[in-house]
Amino acid sequence: MTAPDVSARLTPSSVAMPRHVGVIMDGNRRWARAQHLLDPSAGHRAGAEHLSRLLGWLAARGIEHASVYVLSADNIRRRDARELGVLFALLETTIPERVRAAERWQLHVSGDLSLLPGPTQRALRKAVEETRGRPGHLTLAIGYDARADMAAALRRAVSALPEADVEQLTVAAVTAQLAGGPVKDIDLIIRTGGDSRTSGFFPWQSRAA
């Protein structure tokens, strides 16, 4: 999920504040090793706990749109059952609790929730419903696959066309069908683990990529 202390990497500057910030949660296992922790899952837990700090930092600066890469579909297929169990538990409890407690953020989820256990799916959907109508918009990429996301948006955009007239298909029409909050374009991307790769992080939305 993420190395902790994400917000410490976000330093105010003289440039215009971004409207929509994207965060690739990464580096959790490296952080745990650096802290001499025997269980690498401790990094996942610490990162999840720091979600509140990140959301508070963004809100304090008037940034009301955020997208956070939590767990890819590929990682769900590749990681071992024990590590996934820790991640799913955090998605059921810690993550929804931190979003609710922040009080300002409406939760959106982008990804294939069918890849998650039933209780995890239900906990995330409940958090989505309970935070509806809040002014800030937080999109979590969970079970996310960029190509599948764009293909689904394209199908919805084509289906919404009058008489399926593909000549009327526009970039704006496809963008409007993407999951997430009302502002899709991401102005700034931060990867917490120190790598510069975007790893398929919302490529359609990421103007900064």
Side-chain angles (χ1 to χ4, degrees), residues 96-167:
E97 287 168 3
R98 297 300 175 269
V99 177
R100 289 192 193 94
E103 296 186 345
R104 185 172 187 79
W105 297 89
Q106 176 175 337
L107 179 63
H108 308 269
V109 177
S110 180
D112 184 0
L113 291 187
S114 70
L115 298 174
L116 310 178
T120 310
Q121 295 180 40
R122 290 191 289 274
L124 289 169
R125 291 191 174 108
K126 182 179 180 183
V128 167
E129 289 301 318
E130 290 180 350
T131 59
R132 196 176 299 280
R134 292 179 173 185
H137 295 271
L138 171 66
T139 300
L140 298 182
I142 301 171
Y144 181 79
D145 179 279
R147 291 178 176 177
D149 183 50
M150 289 187 288
L154 185 58
R155 286 193 296 271
R156 290 190 292 267
V158 170
S159 297
L161 292 173
E163 300 180 358
D165 183 3
V166 294
E167 294 300 321

Side-chain angles (χ1 to χ4, degrees), residues 3 19 27 38 50 61 72 74 83-84 112 118 138 159 174 197:
R19 188 179 185 192
L38 296 178
H50 274 76
R61 286 154 178 79
S72 70
D74 191 49
E83 184 175 9
L84 286 175
D112 184 0
L138 171 66
S159 297
V174 176
R197 298 174 292 114

Side-chain angles (χ1 to χ4, degrees), residues 3 7 18 45 48 65 90 100 102-103 123 133 136 170 173 176-177 182 191-192 194:
S7 60
R45 297 187 186 96
H65 302 270
L90 292 170
R100 289 192 193 94
E103 296 186 345
T170 64
Q177 295 297 333
R191 181 164 184 154
T192 60

Side-chain angles (χ1 to χ4, degrees), residues 59-72:
R61 286 154 178 79
I63 300 171
E64 297 193 338
H65 302 270
S67 292
V68 180
Y69 204 162
V70 178
L71 186 61
S72 70

